[in-house]
Amino acid sequence: MYIDLIVIVVLLLIVVFCFRRFSSFVYSFAIIDIFLRILNFIRYNLPIKDIQNLLSKYFPGSIEVVIRGYSSGIIETILMWAYTILYAIFLSYVVKTFIRKKK
């Protein structure tokens, strides 16, 4: 039902209330999405039916899948642009960190 959406929103809200920094929100957003994508990869590439069924039942493929599953039309377009912008911000944080570590 809406359990996957609720869990993702609650996790992001906990991060916002605990850390209160936009960068923490962006990092947690990316961490959750990357974790879901890794589980999705495991689901499709591990030939054990029980694990595949467990992962497909309880974990969405990514945050993008959740957005597309629970919205449509202009709301979906706005959310997908927000998703893309958050990933662009995450990429800028990672590049800045990479450049700082290189010096």
Side-chain angles (χ1 to χ4, degrees):
M1 184 148 179
Y2 292 109
I3 248 357
D4 50 357
L5 178 64
I6 293 169
V7 169
I8 290 171
V9 169
V10 167
L11 285 173
L12 291 173
L13 286 175
I14 288 171
V15 168
V16 167
F17 288 128
C18 290
F19 296 106
R20 298 184 183 188
R21 295 181 62 191
F22 181 70
S23 61
S24 298
F25 173 77
V26 172
Y27 280 118
S28 64
F29 179 85
I31 289 168
I32 291 169
D33 195 53
I34 292 168
F35 175 72
L36 291 174
R37 288 176 184 268
I38 290 170
L39 290 179
N40 195 42
F41 176 82
I42 291 169
R43 175 175 64 189
Y44 286 115
N45 292 300
L46 196 64
I48 301 171
K49 287 292 181 193
D50 292 335
I51 293 176
Q52 289 176 343
N53 292 337
L54 178 77
L55 292 176
S56 64
K57 184 176 181 180
Y58 293 110
F59 296 99
S62 67
I63 293 178
E64 178 184 357
V65 171
V66 174
I67 291 171
R68 293 191 188 276
Y70 293 114
S71 63
S72 63
I74 191 73
I75 300 295
E76 178 186 356
T77 303
I78 291 169
L79 290 173
M80 288 307 299
W81 274 106
Y83 175 83
T84 304
I85 290 167
L86 282 172
Y87 257 108
I89 294 168
F90 173 70
L91 180 62
S92 72
Y93 288 160
V94 170
V95 169
K96 285 178 190 176
T97 303
F98 179 73
I99 290 172
R100 284 186 201 144
K101 296 285 183 183
K102 200 147 173 130
K103 291 181 181 181

